[in-house]
Structure formats: structure tokens, C-alpha cells
Amino acid sequence: ERLTSIEKSFFVDLPNSQQFLSRLEGLVLCSDDRHSEGIAILEHVPVDDEIQEALLTAYEATEQYEKALAICKNLTRRCKLLCRLERFEDVKGELESDNQTCERQLLLGVAEWHLNMRQSAYDHFIMSAKMNPTYATAFTWLGKYYAELPGESERAEKCFKKALSLD
């Protein structure tokens, strides 16, 4: 059959139809949780914000945290990746100059917790909870902190209950 002029212009206007189709296929595969197949395709197309986000999600889903870290520009997400890699000193370094959100305060506390800096971790958990009193994860970590202290099991239980009520 003959293509209409609109159909012809559509195909002519595509800068690189194979690249466009590959991009589309990779995005579809990733959205269908077929991350490894999606990665194999998306690593070979030009990267824009949408491709970068799809790759980050796919790398995380396939536990390729180093690759995700290499392309991640969002500070909070970078710190979560560093925590998964148990690179807690790096988390501290990234967040010490920019910890102005409840989530970043919590991440800094988690890093210090794993570095056995319990009192400093506690301070960050408290700050996180004060910054956002509905942030369940902050209360979970506070409960964990109190659970380790002799005679503070009641306080720990209150924190855990608060976290559950918020989640």
C-alpha cells in the first residue's frame, strides 16, 4: 500500500528510527520488570533524563549499585545506593555539607549507626523526626536506638508503635 504524506513525513522526521525503536523497546522492557533485557538495550542509546531514570531503576532492581551510583546525580538517592554498598563513610562525606531534609538526616544517622557512632546517629534520628513528625522510618530507627539501651524498652516500643501508625 501507499503511504500517505503524513505517514511519509512521520518516518522521514524520525532522526534515527532504529534508535527510536530501541529506546522504546528498552523502556518497555524496564517497565515490565524485565530489567536485564532493558539494560542491555538502554546502555546503547543516547541518554536523556528518561533513559537515565529507567537505567537507575533497572540497575537498582538488578542490584548493580556501582553502575547506578556512577550515573546518579540526586544526592539522596546516591546516599541510599552508598548505604546498600555499605559505604557509610562515603555517605557521611556526601551529607555532612547538605543534610537539610528529614530523609538526609536519617541517612546520615544510618551511616553513623553502622559506623558505631550511636549518639551521633541518635541526634540525626531525632532531627529527622523533628523535621517531619510523620516520617515513620525516623521513628523505627529511634526505636532501634532505644531498644539497645538498658531500661528503655518502653520508649523503644512507643517509637515502633508510632512508626507502625504512620506507615
Side-chain angles (χ1 to χ4, degrees), residues 90-142:
D90 292 339
V91 173
K92 281 188 61 173
E94 296 248 359
L95 288 176
E96 283 180 337
S97 62
D98 187 0
N99 56 18
Q100 299 307 310
T101 68
C102 66
E103 191 171 23
R104 290 178 184 170
Q105 281 289 331
L106 182 84
L107 286 168
L108 191 50
V110 169
E112 291 180 338
W113 177 274
H114 287 286
L115 294 169
N116 291 318
M117 301 169 65
R118 296 297 205 253
Q119 184 58 49
S120 183
Y122 167 78
D123 294 340
H124 291 291
F125 299 151
I126 287 288
M127 181 64 72
S128 178
K130 285 182 179 178
M131 291 172 97
N132 183 354
T134 63
Y135 190 37
T137 310
F139 289 98
T140 300
W141 279 96
L142 281 167

Side-chain angles (χ1 to χ4, degrees), residues 10-45:
F10 175 76
F11 287 110
V12 170
D13 289 344
L14 285 176
N16 181 337
S17 59
Q18 183 57 48
Q19 202 171 64
F20 175 78
L21 291 173
S22 293
R23 169 194 170 84
L24 190 58
E25 181 183 11
L27 290 170
V28 168
L29 288 167
C30 286
S31 70
D32 284 343
D33 293 334
R34 294 170 58 192
H35 301 292
S36 295
E37 295 169 80
I39 289 169
I41 293 169
L42 293 180
E43 285 181 332
H44 300 289
V45 300

Side-chain angles (χ1 to χ4, degrees), residues 20 24 33 145 154-155 158 160 163:
F20 175 78
L24 190 58
D33 293 334
Y145 172 81
E154 190 174 314
R155 190 179 274 186
K158 284 181 183 179
F160 290 133

Side-chain angles (χ1 to χ4, degrees), residues 33 35-36 39 55-65 84:
D33 293 334
H35 301 292
S36 295
I39 289 169
L55 280 170
L56 271 169
T57 301
Y59 286 147
E60 287 181 276
T62 56
E63 298 182 4
Q64 297 180 56
Y65 303 122
R84 288 189 178 198

